[in-house]
Amino acid sequence: MASSKADSAVSKDTNCSKENSSGSSGETSDNHQMYCLEDLVSIATVGTGTFGRVFLVRDKTSRTFYALKQMRIPDVIRLKQEEHVHNEKAVLKEVNHPFLIRLFWTHHDDCFLYMLMDYVPGGELFSYLRSRGRFSNVTGLFYASEIVCAIEYLHSKDIVYRDLKPENILLDREGHIRLTDFGFAKKLSDRTWTLCGTPEYLAPEVIQSKGHCRAVDWWALGILIFEMLAGHPPFFDDNPFGIYQKILAGKLDFPRHLDFYVKDLIKKFLVIDRARRLGNMKNGADDVKKHRWFKTIDWETVPLRKLKPPIVPKVSHEGDTTNFEVYPDDEWKKDPCVPPRDLEIFKNF
């Protein structure tokens, strides 16, 4: 991992705060620990996105490693992502689960929004899937079981995740999952109509703009299980429109090696009619847990992290970045400040 120069990820804003995170800066949890940008030393870039990037940072005082998500305010506004950013903060402040990333602190200055979160050193599940080609039935069963518990927890709080895919599943140093990137997550009162997500993972109701709810997460889990065990998603094409056509057609072509029960489970997730989709009926996640594919799983032990991980990442220390891709340094800091009228949108971030 290419290491960027110390402090290259953070501005020289010296605003430290004990305020509640509803203020312009402040802690969200972690036993009221104080955080301060000038105390966070940047070590390396571990992820990039359309309007932001994630840095591995270390607190000079506590010596603790964190992931600092830093987003350019002009890009957030230009791409009309203000609501998603606020949703991400609101959702992460509310959740607390062993398979979800934690948010410790948020802050903004005149150029950037900052979110300080867990650093999970095992890297993305996507990397392991890509290097192995596909996973065994037992390996897929492990990850699916932990994801079911994470989705069940989110839905119990009326939160829809909306971005399940291998890139957003991190492995901790023991090999258990942590869902990350809650930019599309949303607290639902009824249905929502926003078109968001990754084309291969979109549910039919999202593509058709019919309004969607938590059922989209169970559809996405069906796609994920297929991709983990087959090595490719069930619906793919060279362009998004072709993918959407195949999703709406709903034709599944299973590889011959797939287990009978997992094929049955995938079929029940990938039901066009969401009222009949497994996980979205009266018994919710219980219907999923009782499916025959999960018959060997003791569900009470899963959130206790008692299942044995099939992959244990090679992690030499808490700040190890070798399980993430190498990103080049760039002139990330040299951005013009945002005018005060635009900063108003983020005054409570």
Side-chain angles (χ1 to χ4, degrees):
M1 173 66 70
S3 174
S4 50
K5 297 179 180 66
D7 293 320
S8 68
V10 295
S11 75
K12 291 297 181 182
D13 186 326
T14 60
N15 185 2
C16 302
S17 177
K18 287 184 182 177
E19 295 174 44
N20 184 282
S21 62
S22 60
S24 64
S25 68
E27 50 74 34
T28 55
S29 59
D30 206 24
N31 300 320
H32 302 287
Q33 180 174 336
M34 284 181 60
Y35 296 99
C36 181
L37 279 180
E38 83 167 357
D39 285 342
L40 299 175
V41 179
S42 175
I43 296 167
T45 301
V46 291
T48 60
T50 312
F51 52 87
R53 55 176 51 201
V54 180
F55 297 93
L56 168 64
V57 297
R58 191 172 198 179
D59 188 295
K60 293 177 186 174
T61 307
S62 69
R63 309 297 292 163
T64 305
F65 291 99
Y66 296 101
L68 183 69
K69 186 173 183 176
Q70 185 173 343
M71 297 165 277
R72 282 190 172 108
I73 294 175
D75 290 344
V76 171
I77 294 170
R78 177 175 57 83
L79 296 166
K80 298 182 170 57
Q81 297 296 307
E82 301 96 326
E83 184 183 356
H84 285 159
V85 166
H86 284 299
N87 283 344
E88 181 172 19
K89 177 187 172 182
V91 165
L92 286 175
K93 278 179 64 181
E94 185 175 343
V95 300
N96 180 21
H97 192 274
F99 300 144
L100 305 179
I101 207 80
R102 290 178 298 171
L103 174 68
F104 298 114
W105 181 68
T106 59
H107 177 67
H108 74 80
D109 54 28
D110 292 343
C111 303
F112 298 104
L113 304 174
Y114 303 91
M115 301 179 78
L116 192 68
M117 297 177 280
D118 287 304
Y119 176 62
V120 185
E124 299 172 1
L125 185 67
F126 174 77
S127 302
Y128 298 95
L129 183 55
R130 185 174 56 186
S131 66
R132 294 181 178 214
R134 58 182 167 89
F135 291 152
S136 69
N137 192 65
V138 172
T139 298
L141 181 64
F142 170 86
Y143 295 123
S145 300
E146 294 199 335
I147 292 163
V148 165
C149 289
I151 292 174
E152 179 184 34
Y153 172 79
L154 289 171
H155 290 183
S156 75
K157 293 185 164 289
D158 296 320
I159 293 165
V160 59
Y161 179 52
R162 299 199 293 183
D163 206 15
L164 187 64
K165 57 182 178 179
E167 294 91 330
N168 286 344
I169 302 165
L170 300 176
L171 299 189
D172 65 20
R173 64 184 305 165
E174 286 84 33
H176 295 281
I177 71 151
R178 298 290 282 277
L179 292 189
T180 188
D181 198 344
F182 281 71
F184 289 151
K186 187 176 184 179
K187 185 96 169 181
L188 286 184
S189 53
D190 181 21
R191 283 183 290 171
T192 184
W193 278 262
T194 314
L195 176 64
C196 62
T198 301
E200 289 87 351
Y201 278 74
L202 290 184
E205 60 266 29
V206 179
I207 296 167
Q208 294 173 319
S209 299
K210 287 183 173 179
H212 58 272
C213 59
R214 66 197 71 181
V216 301
D217 288 337
W218 297 117
W219 174 280
L221 180 56
I223 300 288
L224 178 68
I225 293 170
F226 188 110
E227 182 170 359
M228 287 194 295
L229 301 183
H232 59 81
F235 310 113
F236 59 94
D237 196 87
D238 291 336
N239 67 78
F241 185 71
I243 295 169
Y244 300 153
Q245 284 183 311
K246 290 178 179 180
I247 289 170
L248 296 175
K251 184 178 181 298
L252 287 169
D253 185 15
F254 289 105
R256 296 176 69 176
H257 71 269
L258 256 60
D259 172 86
F260 172 81
Y261 290 124
V262 81
K263 287 193 282 190
D264 181 73
L265 176 65
I266 292 167
K267 286 176 189 172
K268 288 176 176 171
F269 280 140
L270 302 185
V271 171
I272 302 286
D273 180 0
R274 61 184 170 215
R276 292 172 44 245
R277 190 175 302 155
L278 194 69
N280 195 49
M281 295 181 284
K282 187 177 73 171
N283 297 321
D286 282 342
D287 286 337
V288 177
K289 292 177 169 182
K290 288 174 181 172
H291 190 275
R292 290 284 292 169
W293 192 53
F294 292 112
K295 65 182 180 291
T296 60
I297 301 299
D298 177 355
W299 287 105
E300 289 189 5
T301 69
V302 179
L304 298 175
R305 295 160 46 94
K306 293 285 181 69
L307 296 190
K308 185 179 179 184
I311 299 171
V312 179
K314 292 178 181 175
V315 177
S316 61
H317 65 287
E318 290 297 335
D320 190 347
T321 60
T322 54
N323 292 306
F324 291 92
E325 290 190 27
V326 175
Y327 296 93
D329 293 340
D330 63 7
E331 298 300 304
W332 178 245
K333 274 182 61 181
K334 295 181 180 177
D335 267 45
C337 290
V338 179
R341 69 177 183 277
D342 287 345
L343 276 181
E344 270 296 300
I345 305 165
F346 304 105
K347 66 181 179 183
N348 292 323
F349 193 86

